[in-house]
Amino acid sequence: MEKTDSKELKKQLFSTKKNGYDKIAREELPLMESYCRDYMAYLDAGKTERLCAAETIRLAEKAGYRPYVRGMEIKTGDKLYVCNRGKAVMLAHIGEKSLAEGVQIAAAHIDAPRLDLKPNPLYEESEMAFFKTHYYGGIRKYQWVTIPLELHGVVALKDGTSVQVNIGADNGDPKLIITDLLPHLGQEQSKKPLGSAIPAETLNLLLGSRPMGDEDDSSRVKLAVMKLLHDKYGIVEDDFTSAELEAVPAMNACDIGLDRSMIGAYGHDDRVCGYAALRALLDLEQAPVKTAVCMLADKEEIGSDGVTGMQSAAFDTFMEDLCEAQNVALRVCYENSFCLSADVTAAYDPDFAEVYERRNAAFVNYGIGLCKYTGARGKSGASDADAETVAYVRRLFDDASVIWQIAELGKVDMGGGGTVAMYMANRNINTLDAGVPVLSMHAPYETVSKLDCYETYKGMKAVYLAEK
Ligand code: MN
Ligand code: MN
């Protein structure tokens, strides 16, 4: 019998996945750190979809992007953007080839789970004033009590003007909070399942406790709070009717770990991919071969519906306008396009090992995580990219030395998730899901690894620069 060198054979035949720190080039580490610092500043500036869209536009304009207006002539090298109702941003760097040859898209979302104010939010109870909230997206309610919160958004007035609200973000600002029961009286609450221990209708923001006026008067704390709001913003109680005010964690991004290898922040999902998609586009040094398109969508966390969601015709309108400028049919452009649907995935957490399938889990520091499919149960709600599309991305990433892994989100039948991929694929655009693995996803403070953030940025760049 012939003797085989099994060690050599394994090297040749077995999967070569390993920790990204054993792959990344030393000289890339300072670039990674500086990229992550910029990302952290982006997070701090954009804690809501509106603030994130505004920060996106600020950075884009600094990089030479200008608003696209329908009918404008376009030529190779043009850097254009359209902002959809202040909440979603679409950017394009016009390439050398015609749009008939397709575009290279990176699509992410910039909305994140949070607590929205109800239309009649303000009330007084037991001589304290509160705002009623309605949670947005998939939150674990018990995580949102007893943490400092800040409030952002707009109050749209009947005269067509609107007022920007910011309570808690500026230096020295007061914060808001949601109370919880003390352990001494929490015996019954502690017996309840996590999902029902904090009912949604108890997620009320504490606003104040100091009364004004005569002691025999009523609603004196509510009046004092309303007066403060009126003095600062000129609004009255009925104006809450047409407002979008969002309570978000009052915590900025910071390094996590003694080795500073990770980033903790509110809203990594999905600004970590959004920033990568944006920054990779802004960093293109010259016109790409195919037109590069960055889509930063709103409303993903509640199903991508609505005028600012990925299902909205706003994206098709933007693309059709660009196509028309080159006398190209939109459907021809779409069928030749590729989209990397960039959204976070679940990072393997050894404290909750039972929900993951280790052989198909995404690991921290193993790079950008590709997901052939997301969805739940039997791949329900997944666009399930074809093998050819996965092979295409493997090639792009390997050629650009992008560190990547492929994974599923948790064990089969354990739960699941979805993102904008299916809405891109439904448009007849080849689409693959990919994104940064996150620890404690959807929590008020999520954690990601710096290496994975940076590799995701490199992945986006590889997509924009692809020639085929
Ligand atoms: Mn997401
Ligand atoms: Mn999410």
Side-chain angles (χ1 to χ4, degrees):
M1 205 170 129
E2 197 188 327
K3 198 165 172 257
T4 53
D5 183 347
S6 60
K7 224 173 160 184
E8 197 48 47
L9 200 56
K10 276 184 185 168
K11 226 170 127 186
Q12 190 189 333
L13 299 181
F14 280 8
S15 170
T16 54
K17 297 285 177 292
K18 53 183 175 184
N19 192 300
Y21 279 98
D22 296 322
K23 289 183 165 178
I24 194 167
R26 284 280 158 271
E27 56 272 24
E28 281 190 287
L29 294 176
L31 301 174
M32 174 184 95
E33 289 293 341
S34 117
Y35 170 82
C36 287
R37 269 195 301 279
D38 293 345
Y39 167 51
M40 288 158 82
Y42 181 76
L43 282 172
D44 293 347
K47 286 184 183 149
T48 67
E49 73 287 18
R50 286 179 192 261
L51 293 172
C52 190
E55 179 65 4
T56 296
I57 291 167
R58 191 185 71 80
L59 294 174
E61 289 190 341
K62 225 171 92 183
Y65 280 73
R66 59 199 167 97
Y68 173 75
V69 181
R70 180 170 302 136
M72 219 182 231
E73 274 181 38
I74 61 169
K75 57 178 189 311
T76 301
D78 280 354
K79 300 175 175 180
L80 308 162
Y81 76 86
V82 164
C83 182
N84 182 5
R85 296 165 170 90
K87 298 178 175 194
V89 189
M90 298 165 276
L91 308 100
H93 192 162
I94 306 300
E96 291 163 14
K97 287 185 178 174
S98 155
L99 287 161
E101 302 202 40
V103 299
Q104 295 293 101
I105 307 166
H109 68 91
I110 55 173
D111 61 320
R114 58 177 193 252
L115 304 173
D116 288 344
L117 294 202
K118 291 193 184 192
N120 295 306
L122 183 61
Y123 71 100
E124 175 175 330
E125 183 64 60
S126 308
E127 292 171 270
M128 292 185 281
F130 298 91
F131 275 147
K132 294 293 298 176
T133 69
H134 193 140
Y135 65 94
Y136 171 98
I139 65 161
R140 312 194 76 191
K141 298 175 196 90
Y142 71 89
Q143 295 175 336
W144 290 74
V145 296
T146 69
I147 59 167
L149 297 165
E150 56 189 57
L151 196 73
H152 293 280
V154 298
V155 180
L157 302 173
K158 281 194 289 184
D159 66 5
T161 63
S162 59
V163 186
Q164 302 291 321
V165 172
N166 162 13
I167 300 168
D170 292 341
N171 243 339
D173 259 12
K175 317 286 183 205
L176 307 178
I177 203 148
I178 297 168
T179 57
D180 192 10
L181 209 47
L182 60 169
H184 316 66
L185 298 176
Q187 284 182 29
E188 290 307 311
Q189 186 201 37
S190 294
K191 290 178 197 160
K192 292 181 184 168
L194 278 178
S196 53
I198 304 287
E201 292 295 355
T202 65
L203 294 177
N204 302 314
L205 295 163
L206 181 57
L207 299 173
S209 66
R210 188 177 294 159
M212 71 183 293
D214 298 331
E215 63 178 294
D216 54 353
D217 203 358
S218 64
S219 298
R220 295 190 303 152
V221 179
K222 173 179 166 178
L223 181 64
V225 165
M226 197 60 237
K227 184 174 183 307
L228 285 170
L229 289 168
H230 183 261
D231 290 347
K232 188 166 178 193
Y233 298 112
I235 57 172
V236 298
E237 190 177 8
D238 275 336
D239 292 328
F240 288 121
T241 304
S242 50
E244 281 185 327
L245 297 170
E246 308 173 4
V248 295
M251 299 180 275
N252 283 345
C254 75
D255 284 346
I256 294 282
L258 300 181
D259 58 5
R260 299 179 177 271
S261 61
M262 296 165 282
I263 303 170
Y266 163 66
H268 282 311
D269 177 7
D270 183 32
R271 293 169 195 140
V272 67
C273 298
Y275 184 69
L278 173 69
R279 181 65 185 269
L281 187 78
L282 302 188
D283 283 356
L284 294 182
E285 276 156 19
Q286 56 193 51
V289 174
K290 294 171 92 175
T291 293
V293 174
C294 171
M295 168 77 210
L296 302 178
D298 179 33
K299 295 283 178 275
E300 191 277 342
E301 296 295 357
I302 58 169
S304 297
D305 289 299
V307 279
T308 51
M310 195 65 252
Q311 298 195 68
S312 162
F315 178 73
D316 309 289
T317 302
F318 175 65
M319 290 305 303
E320 191 163 1
D321 284 345
L322 296 182
C323 283
E324 254 174 25
Q326 291 190 351
N327 289 313
V328 171
L330 180 66
R331 64 180 189 281
V332 173
C333 173
Y334 275 179
E335 71 190 5
N336 292 315
S337 293
F338 168 74
C339 174
L340 197 72
S341 166
D343 202 350
V344 296
T345 186
Y348 181 83
D349 185 338
D351 278 335
F352 301 99
E354 65 280 5
V355 302
Y356 298 90
E357 194 268 279
R358 265 193 82 101
R359 291 182 180 85
N360 286 284
F363 289 86
V364 162
N365 287 332
Y366 275 64
I368 178 173
L370 306 186
C371 288
K372 184 177 182 298
Y373 45 84
T374 55
R377 303 179 306 281
K379 302 192 181 181
S380 181
S383 53
D384 200 5
D386 51 33
E388 292 83 349
T389 301
V390 182
Y392 169 75
V393 174
R394 275 178 76 190
R395 186 175 69 244
L396 279 188
F397 282 8
D398 285 345
D399 288 352
S401 299
V402 175
I403 300 169
W404 61 273
Q405 53 187 324
I406 189 153
E408 292 194 2
L409 195 153
K411 273 183 179 164
V412 183
D413 282 347
M414 191 57 77
T419 180
V420 301
M422 59 192 281
Y423 307 114
M424 283 301 194
N426 291 348
R427 291 177 157 103
N428 197 24
I429 298 171
N430 276 330
T431 302
L432 181 64
D433 254 311
V436 175
V438 180
L439 292 164
S440 31
M441 192 198 294
H442 280 209
Y445 214 64
E446 307 171 309
T447 299
V448 297
S449 106
K450 289 180 176 176
L451 185 140
D452 298 335
C453 294
Y454 183 64
E455 295 303 321
T456 300
Y457 158 77
K458 281 165 60 188
M460 301 297 163
K461 228 175 182 177
V463 167
Y464 292 142
L465 290 173
E467 300 185 8
K468 286 192 279 205

